[in-house]
Amino acid sequence: MRDSDGNRAAGFIEAGFLALLLVILIAAALWLFFQRVWWFPELASARSLAVDRLFELTLLITGIAFVMVHGALAFFIVRFRDRGTGRALFWHDSHALEISWSVVTLVILTVLVFMGQRVWSDVYFSKAPDNAVLVEVTGEQFMWHARYPGSDGAFGATDPKLITNTNILGLDKRDPAARDDVVVDNTLHLPVNRPARIRLRAKDVIHSFYLPHFRTKQDAVPGMTIEIWIVPSREGQFEIVCAELCGLGHYRMKAMLTVESQEAYDKWLKEQAG
Amino acid sequence: MGALGTHESITADHKLGFFRRYIFSLDHKVIGVQYILTAMVMAIVGGLLSMLIRLQLAWPSHQWPWLGQVIPTGMEGGVMKPEFYLSLVTMHGTIMVFFLLTAVLAGGFGNFIIPLQIGARDMAFPFLNALSYWTFFLSCLAILSAFFVVGGAPLGGWTAYAPLSALPQTGPGQGMGMTMWIVAIGLFVFSSLFGALNYITTILNLRTKGMSMMRLPLTTWSLLITAILGLLAFPVLLGAAILLFFDRSGGTSFFIPGGLTVGEKLVSHAGGHPLLWQHLFWFFGHPEVYIVILPAMGIVSDILSTFSRKPIFSYKTMVLSMSSIGVLSFIVWGHHMFVSGMNPLLGSAFALTTLAIAVPSAIKTFNWLFTLWGARIRFTAAMLFSIGFVSLFVSGGLSGIFLGNSAVDIHLHDTYFVVAHFHLIMAVAPVFAMFAGLYYWFPKMFGRMMNETLGKLHFWGSLIGVYCVFFTMHVIGMAGHIRRTYDPYQYEFLKHLQPANIFITKAAFILGAVQLLFLINFWWSLFKGKKATDNPWRANSLEWTTSTPPPHGNWEGEIPTVCRWPYDYSAPGVKEDFALQSEPLPAAPSGK
Amino acid sequence: MSNKKFVFVVFATVSIALSLAGCGKKTGEEATVDTKSSSPAGGGASAYNESMGTATVTGKVAFTGPAPEKTKIQMSSEPSCLSQHKGPLYAQEGEINANGTLPFVFVYVKEGAEKWTFPTPSNPVTIDQKGCRYEPHVFGIQPNQKLVILNSDPILHNIHTYAKENAPFNLGMPTQGMKFERDFKKAEMPPISIKCDVHKWMVSYAGVVPHPFYSVTGVDGAFTLKGLPPGEYSIEAWHEKYPSQIQKVTVGDKETKELTFTFQG
């Protein structure tokens, strides 16, 4: 029961404290995002700049909404706390208000989603340029295998019945196209500034091919072959992460992507084939 | 209204023995409390699991010999095994989603409150109701037993994606442990369906005189919509679980494509598709999010209104937006699958529907906010938790805007950004509503008040802790910190995040410790709390018209007739700042 | 209405039931321990003692034909392992000894020893994970004999057995110096394959035989089966890549016989 004067005094402390907390929350949020203490890994793909931009725009809009709603909440709490005098307003409907905030929300979200769909369709519906490198990446518990088609530019036939410890992808050596295929473990090399088509497959369970520096993530699903394409924009070594829980060694299912000059790439590929 | 309509048949029950009255009871209030207490045990288990998860993430290579003594199988020699870590993740998710959130909000509050708020003597099918609880109880035993079978608990996450869940040879815990998981989920579905059928029938048929649908308190409205969602969504989960069981034990291939090899050994399945599981699971899974959040919204709406001494802002819109959320929740499941390999066109479609469901959610937020406008806010523990709910719902909802937009989701999918988002919006926010509800209805349940000071301390600790934990998680998620990872520092690009992880872990430990305040308060108040009056909060809905605690049959005499809506707070023409729903209208009508 | 009492009873019931459900069962793999003798023959078998075993079968495993294609192991993603090896590494299945013999052949008494029961050896067999390889690559062990599993690498290995007769296990070993003890309850041939799913090239084979009459060929391709009681035996030579071969042999008291298995490439 709250009809004693003590409670009315307490109301002020609680309102004030809660409002203060909300203000601190706002401040902490703003600080974290503007200081960029922890931020996205440095971008290595020109194609994904749009994703980052969209993220930043969304952050700005949601940030404003966050500050406004929490600010209002803090203000209302202090302003409308029960001081033990007067009655609350008997006001519970306003079509004008409701329509306006619904429309504003709808418009903002529509704009965001349509901007998002432009990026999305660029990622998924645009065709890779003809000069793209082609590589197949297969995930399994708990390794990544990359396969390059070799000098003939064609992947050889595979058969799961042929899979052993030493023929990890089940290459069918009777197929001439398979003989020059290059298979490397937990390693992927790509030339810089040249598009790369990556065909994703999985042998056992679902894995997810995640390149944090490229803002690229695609599940590798057993029974499916999914192709994505990226354009590495700077040289360096980038970690390939398995992002979909695949079993006890999931956390160790990592590979390394090396982006290098076309010459270095050609040299590396030749070494692997030999 | 059947046999329960008459007063004689009610009082006859009082002569039942102890066990029939308190253990195998058919009384909806007892069953509701049974749900809450059972879930409390499950929540303690689930909470401890999360503490172990946090321990591992902060200091992954550390040895804890004493923990090795306590948990000899999972932490042999004091080092946590990766498979044990993953089974912690799986079981924490499963226990919290089903056995805490769904159980308390739908099972606990639903049972206790619905008949009291609509003016009924009991549920429409009391036996079915008891059956629902006992099926739930069995299901609890089944899920806990997964820890103790050969191989331990399953490690595939609470989403149990196939083929990891369909092939027992893919990991320890995917054998017997996974089977126990399927059994537990199957039982839980039955329990929920019994409950949902009961709620819908009860709300539609057993309302007292004058209780029109548009005079129902929002808690009951939300529980009705939740029950309908449950009735439509849970059978899909059951179907999926049965198919999974067949794949595992019956040699079928619903989720397993041909040509798989596990450990270089060919799997003798062919013809299935892994994405089928995801579609079925999320077709249930997304409505499940709303099964959890809708009752929380209802409870918070009622409490905000009560302690604002003001009607809820725009009652009709609240009902409408909850209903539209209910309908839309069935067509947004694909936003869990943007990068799953499904046709990217579907990604676009689901981004659009997700946008649509954000609108009613935003409307509700504004309605809560404007309920406070011009209010006379009384800061009880229940009210504080409700305000906390609104804040958390806003924060979690806003981070959902990133994830619902398919292009942005590509980078954020399966990172801690997702974990932070869904914890805020569908775990912590509903838990705040749960606490609000418990502080609010505790007097009606047990006849005593909970301690307000402890309650407020509990609130402050929880709010601060929750934001420290989940705000930081959003940020490390942006940095690419993947979820369900046993040791994030295996990756160079995540190494700099360890201070953040240590901070989160410390905050989580404090947050966990703060929950002890609640447990102490709950058990202490049960025995030593101040005796409660019939209507301690000066609230309007029907449960406050009966004695505290209510007798078997809910009202000693006649069930009151309802004359007004439940939100006549500070109504003009009423002397007090509240008016019970049973209070006759004055000459000039005030509300609806 | 005695609410307190009722709440208490409900709570107590729930907690007790839940904890009973937990404590009732003993954890996992040790659940079905069969401590009886390891003889498969059952009723008619008598205990073996060392004084009986006077005979010896010895010999070598030769290899003819073209040498198999070698498969290179790519360890570059594990620098901590790579640094422990010099030069390129190849899969063990393709190894041929310099003297034209075949290593990693598991030679054991397949038939003829069922007449006796053998005590479980008290000394453990150790398998180490070192430099991202198993040591040993092929080994023998008796039922219920202790198997010590070591991880000498600072990275995760999971030791995953693909047993058919025995209960398979799959254990993650994330840190250096981690040690587990396990055993196999039943005899199992062909050998149980043991793999690490994080490093697919890591393979080991455990032949579980109910007697001590087994041997693994090394760099000289030789094997020795000691302590055999006089009698007739069929000896099998098993290799991971080639079909197994069986030879019959009869040994008398204090006799040593020599056998040669020849595997065709």
Side-chain angles (χ1 to χ4, degrees):
Chain A
M1 277 304 302
R2 51 141 297 102
D3 44 9
S4 70
D5 291 324
N7 263 352
R8 275 170 209 155
F12 174 71
I13 294 169
E14 281 137 1
F17 192 44
L18 185 50
L20 184 70
L21 257 188
L22 293 176
V23 171
I24 292 174
L25 184 62
I26 294 168
L30 292 178
W31 180 79
L32 264 178
F33 287 113
F34 285 104
Q35 279 295 309
R36 306 199 165 185
V37 189
W38 294 292
W39 201 251
F40 285 65
E42 196 191 338
L43 195 65
S45 153
R47 226 180 139 224
S48 302
L49 198 62
V51 175
D52 282 18
R53 289 280 143 76
L54 188 61
F55 182 91
E56 280 161 13
L57 178 70
T58 314
L59 186 62
L60 186 71
I61 291 171
T62 53
I64 292 171
F66 176 82
V67 171
M68 278 172 54
V69 174
H70 276 88
L73 197 56
F75 172 70
F76 289 0
I77 288 165
V78 176
R79 172 73 182 76
F80 300 116
R81 70 179 193 276
D82 185 9
R83 297 179 168 96
T85 52
R87 278 165 86 100
L89 208 58
F90 192 76
W91 173 66
H92 54 77
D93 268 309
S94 166
H95 287 297
L97 264 181
E98 288 188 70
I99 289 168
S100 53
W101 65 52
S102 308
V103 169
V104 169
T105 313
L106 191 66
V107 168
I108 292 175
L109 288 175
T110 309
V111 169
L112 276 180
V113 167
F114 276 91
M115 289 178 74
Q117 286 321 299
R118 280 181 58 182
V119 181
W120 177 257
S121 57
D122 175 56
V123 171
Y124 275 105
F125 297 119
S126 60
K127 207 176 153 296
D130 289 338
N131 68 336
V133 182
L134 180 61
V135 54
E136 179 194 82
V137 173
T138 304
E140 70 169 320
Q141 285 182 328
F142 302 99
M143 284 176 95
W144 295 104
H145 309 286
R147 176 158 71 127
Y148 292 84
S151 51
D152 59 357
F155 287 123
T158 58
D159 184 345
K161 285 191 210 75
L162 299 174
I163 289 176
T164 62
N165 298 316
T166 46
N167 185 5
I168 207 80
L169 294 179
L171 277 180
D172 189 347
K173 292 284 160 106
R174 289 169 306 182
D175 180 5
R179 281 180 205 143
D180 65 346
D181 284 6
V182 176
V183 179
V184 288
D185 291 342
N186 286 342
T187 309
L188 182 62
H189 282 238
L190 292 175
V192 69
N193 289 330
R194 190 174 153 193
R197 290 160 60 195
I198 300 172
R199 263 183 209 170
L200 290 167
R201 297 174 63 192
K203 281 167 70 178
D204 38 31
V205 301
I206 300 175
H207 305 277
S208 191
F209 180 79
Y210 178 29
L211 287 169
H213 299 84
F214 290 69
R215 319 287 186 260
T216 293
K217 189 181 285 138
Q218 177 61 57
D219 284 5
V221 184
M224 291 176 82
T225 303
I226 302 166
E227 190 175 304
I228 55 171
W229 66 278
I230 59 172
V231 188
S233 62
R234 63 185 170 93
E235 293 183 25
Q237 294 230 308
F238 305 99
E239 282 168 312
I240 300 171
V241 185
C242 177
E244 181 66 64
L245 175 54
C246 58
L248 78 85
H250 167 58
Y251 80 101
R252 279 284 308 174
M253 188 169 163
K254 84 172 182 183
M256 195 59 88
L257 162 63
T258 305
V259 178
E260 56 201 354
S261 66
Q262 182 71 43
E263 299 74 52
Y265 167 77
D266 289 337
K267 184 167 164 281
W268 172 83
L269 200 57
K270 211 168 176 185
E271 273 169 22
Q272 301 307 310
Chain B
M1 233 168 95
L4 285 160
T6 61
H7 194 54
E8 285 71 28
S9 67
I10 305 309
T11 43
D13 266 7
H14 279 289
K15 295 176 188 76
L16 291 170
F18 178 80
F19 268 87
R20 281 297 307 278
R21 216 170 348 144
Y22 295 133
I23 306 298
F24 296 104
S25 172
L26 302 185
D27 186 327
H28 71 98
K29 299 188 290 298
V30 177
I31 294 170
V33 170
Q34 284 176 324
Y35 259 111
I36 290 171
L37 294 181
T38 312
M40 199 186 273
V41 175
M42 297 303 281
I44 293 170
V45 175
L48 289 175
L49 298 184
S50 70
M51 295 295 123
L52 285 172
I53 294 171
R54 285 311 321 171
L55 188 76
Q56 170 65 22
L57 285 172
W59 303 284
S61 46
H62 200 279
Q63 290 209 8
W64 314 91
W66 62 275
L67 272 174
Q69 305 277 315
V70 183
I71 315 162
T73 41
M75 299 187 66
E76 213 167 324
V79 177
M80 191 179 287
K81 284 195 261 178
E83 57 269 38
F84 182 66
Y85 173 82
L86 293 175
S87 65
L88 291 176
V89 170
T90 306
M91 296 295 275
H92 168 73
T94 307
I95 287 176
M96 291 309 206
V97 170
F98 294 103
F99 298 89
L100 171 67
L101 294 169
T102 313
V104 171
L105 289 162
F109 285 118
N111 266 306
F112 187 83
I113 288 161
I114 289 173
L116 283 169
Q117 279 198 338
I118 65 169
R121 298 248 179 241
D122 206 314
M123 285 285 177
F125 312 113
F127 178 76
L128 196 63
N129 209 19
L131 194 63
S132 156
Y133 170 73
W134 286 104
T135 315
F136 165 68
F137 186 80
L138 273 182
S139 160
C140 288
L141 296 185
I143 196 73
L144 289 179
S145 69
F147 274 115
F148 304 97
V149 295
V150 178
L155 50 68
W158 81 283
T159 50
Y161 275 14
L164 185 59
S165 56
L167 297 169
Q169 66 268 44
T170 52
Q174 297 308 92
M176 199 57 203
M178 189 65 210
T179 304
M180 288 319 294
W181 186 90
I182 294 175
V183 169
I185 293 302
L187 287 170
F188 188 89
V189 168
F190 277 108
S191 151
S192 293
L193 290 181
F194 296 155
L197 278 172
N198 224 338
Y199 296 174
I200 296 171
T201 316
T202 306
I203 295 173
L204 294 183
N205 290 330
L206 295 190
R207 279 168 292 134
T208 185
K209 208 172 148 208
M211 181 62 91
S212 63
M213 289 305 277
M214 290 316 272
R215 278 178 177 170
L216 284 177
L218 286 171
T219 303
T220 298
W221 256 115
S222 70
L223 286 164
L224 173 65
I225 296 166
T226 297
I228 296 170
L229 292 191
L231 199 63
L232 297 174
F234 270 114
V236 179
L237 177 65
L238 182 65
I242 291 172
L243 298 187
L244 186 61
F245 188 79
F246 284 165
D247 270 11
R248 294 165 53 80
S249 312
T252 61
S253 301
F254 291 103
F255 308 122
I256 311 170
L260 296 197
T261 55
V262 177
E264 286 72 64
K265 289 189 170 55
L266 199 63
V267 172
S268 60
H269 286 270
H273 204 303
L275 292 190
L276 175 62
W277 169 264
Q278 294 182 33
H279 281 296
L280 292 175
F281 183 85
W282 289 117
F283 186 83
F284 147 80
H286 205 80
E288 165 65 21
V289 170
Y290 292 97
I291 288 172
V292 167
I293 196 88
L294 282 172
M297 289 171 162
I299 290 169
V300 162
S301 303
D302 279 354
I303 294 175
L304 279 179
S305 169
T306 303
F307 294 110
S308 296
R309 315 311 295 165
K310 252 195 83 196
I312 188 78
F313 194 83
S314 203
Y315 174 85
K316 266 190 200 156
T317 317
M318 287 303 229
V319 174
L320 211 68
S321 55
M322 282 201 286
S323 312
S324 51
I325 286 175
V327 173
L328 289 170
S329 73
F330 282 99
I331 52 168
V332 297
W333 81 89
H335 67 216
H336 297 268
M337 299 170 60
F338 284 142
V339 298
S340 68
M342 72 175 179
N343 190 328
L345 266 177
L346 283 175
S348 302
F350 280 114
L352 275 172
T353 56
T354 305
L355 151 110
I357 207 167
V359 177
S361 307
I363 292 173
K364 291 191 76 76
T365 307
F366 286 118
N367 286 347
W368 288 320
L369 210 55
F370 276 81
T371 300
L372 299 180
W373 180 270
R376 292 288 177 272
I377 303 171
R378 296 180 179 178
F379 293 97
T380 57
M383 182 63 171
L384 289 174
F385 271 104
S386 301
I387 296 171
F389 170 90
V390 175
S391 164
L392 294 170
F393 185 77
V394 169
S395 306
L398 287 174
S399 69
I401 292 175
F402 295 83
L403 300 170
N405 209 349
S406 51
V408 184
D409 180 67
I410 299 173
H411 175 67
L412 298 175
H413 183 81
D414 268 330
T415 65
Y416 263 88
F417 197 92
V418 178
V419 175
H421 160 71
F422 74 69
H423 270 91
L424 277 189
I425 202 151
M426 81 154 292
V428 180
V431 165
F432 265 49
M434 235 159 67
F435 284 133
L438 282 172
Y439 284 110
Y440 185 65
W441 279 297
F442 189 90
K444 198 46 80 180
M445 286 175 180
F446 306 112
R448 290 181 186 272
M449 309 292 291
M450 281 179 90
N451 183 298
E452 279 289 309
T453 312
L454 271 182
K456 286 171 188 172
L457 281 177
H458 174 214
F459 168 73
W460 298 120
S462 298
L463 188 73
I464 297 169
V466 159
Y467 269 118
C468 286
V469 170
F470 295 109
F471 222 105
T472 322
M473 265 190 203
H474 276 109
V475 181
I476 61 171
M478 276 166 36
H481 193 311
I482 47 168
R483 65 191 288 209
R484 291 165 170 172
T485 186
Y486 164 81
D487 179 0
Y489 319 117
Q490 294 288 333
Y491 290 102
E492 288 298 326
F493 80 105
L494 295 180
K495 277 191 174 145
H496 70 292
L497 298 177
Q498 196 178 12
N501 261 326
I502 291 176
F503 173 75
I504 294 173
T505 295
K506 286 178 178 165
F509 287 168
I510 293 171
L511 182 60
V514 166
Q515 305 316 307
L516 291 178
L517 289 180
F518 172 77
L519 288 179
I520 293 166
N521 196 353
F522 187 93
W523 291 101
W524 182 85
S525 303
L526 205 55
F527 300 100
K528 294 273 155 74
K530 204 171 80 180
K531 284 253 190 245
T533 55
D534 288 352
N535 188 4
W537 312 119
R538 301 153 71 81
N540 290 348
S541 43
L542 276 192
E543 72 266 32
W544 306 106
T545 60
T546 182
S547 55
T548 286
H552 196 75
N554 294 345
W555 282 269
E556 285 292 354
E558 288 293 301
I559 298 178
T561 303
V562 168
C563 307
R564 52 174 87 219
W565 75 327
Y567 298 106
D568 262 349
Y569 290 105
S570 309
V574 182
K575 189 168 159 290
E576 299 280 353
D577 64 353
F578 72 105
L580 284 165
Q581 279 191 277
S582 55
E583 195 175 310
L585 287 176
S590 59
K592 325 232 135 159
Chain C
M1 194 169 188
S2 154
N3 276 281
K4 287 170 287 187
K5 206 168 173 187
F6 129 66
V7 165
F8 188 76
V9 168
V10 172
F11 193 79
T13 320
V14 169
S15 355
I16 291 169
L18 292 186
S19 49
L20 278 183
C23 307
K25 283 161 209 157
K26 187 72 198 96
T27 45
E29 288 138 20
E30 292 77 20
T32 50
V33 179
D34 176 14
T35 47
K36 281 185 302 195
S37 88
S38 45
S39 161
S46 60
Y48 168 89
N49 70 60
E50 280 175 30
S51 61
M52 297 173 175
T54 56
T56 302
V57 173
T58 175
K60 62 173 185 142
V61 179
F63 183 83
T64 63
E69 196 183 327
K70 282 179 158 186
T71 315
K72 204 166 159 186
I73 291 172
Q74 302 173 17
M75 220 182 261
S76 59
S77 59
E78 294 290 7
S80 67
C81 289
L82 193 64
S83 63
Q84 295 183 38
H85 304 280
K86 288 189 202 82
L89 283 170
Y90 298 95
Q92 286 116 323
E93 64 163 43
E95 277 184 36
I96 307 293
N97 289 330
N99 65 355
T101 57
L102 194 58
F104 304 124
V105 178
F106 186 74
V107 184
Y108 73 108
V109 169
K110 188 180 174 73
E111 281 162 23
E114 300 83 4
K115 297 188 274 294
W116 304 284
T117 58
F118 299 86
T120 302
S122 55
N123 60 317
V125 175
T126 300
I127 178 167
D128 192 4
Q129 301 159 95
K130 196 167 184 302
C132 291
R133 308 211 89 169
Y134 284 116
E135 286 174 12
H137 175 56
V138 177
F139 64 96
I141 186 169
Q142 285 177 246
N144 297 316
Q145 187 177 4
K146 199 178 280 178
L147 175 67
V148 175
I149 305 159
L150 270 180
N151 183 8
S152 301
D153 287 334
I155 53 165
L156 171 78
H157 293 298
N158 71 315
I159 183 139
H160 192 172
T161 65
Y162 290 79
K164 294 200 173 64
E165 298 294 322
N166 288 283
F169 61 77
N170 184 359
L171 303 166
M173 303 183 79
T175 56
Q176 193 164 28
M178 218 167 175
K179 190 168 123 179
F180 290 141
E181 286 178 2
R182 293 290 185 275
D183 57 13
F184 302 110
K185 301 297 175 200
K186 294 178 198 154
E188 180 164 352
M189 279 300 292
I192 298 170
S193 53
I194 298 174
K195 290 183 185 179
C196 171
D197 298 312
V198 190
H199 311 98
K200 288 291 181 183
W201 61 82
M202 286 175 70
V203 195
S204 178
Y205 297 93
V208 192
V209 285
H211 52 68
F213 310 131
Y214 59 81
S215 178
V216 180
T217 59
V219 287
D220 57 354
F223 65 88
T224 307
L225 306 175
K226 266 193 248 172
L228 288 164
E232 194 187 337
Y233 299 97
S234 68
I235 314 279
E236 184 176 56
W238 174 94
H239 185 272
E240 59 188 290
K241 195 175 165 84
Y242 308 103
S244 293
Q245 298 185 9
I246 297 176
Q247 292 191 30
K248 289 214 187 288
V249 65
T250 307
V251 281
D253 192 23
K254 291 181 186 150
E255 190 183 6
T256 295
K257 278 231 171 118
E258 217 164 292
L259 287 182
T260 301
F261 291 93
T262 307
F263 281 79
Q264 179 74 40

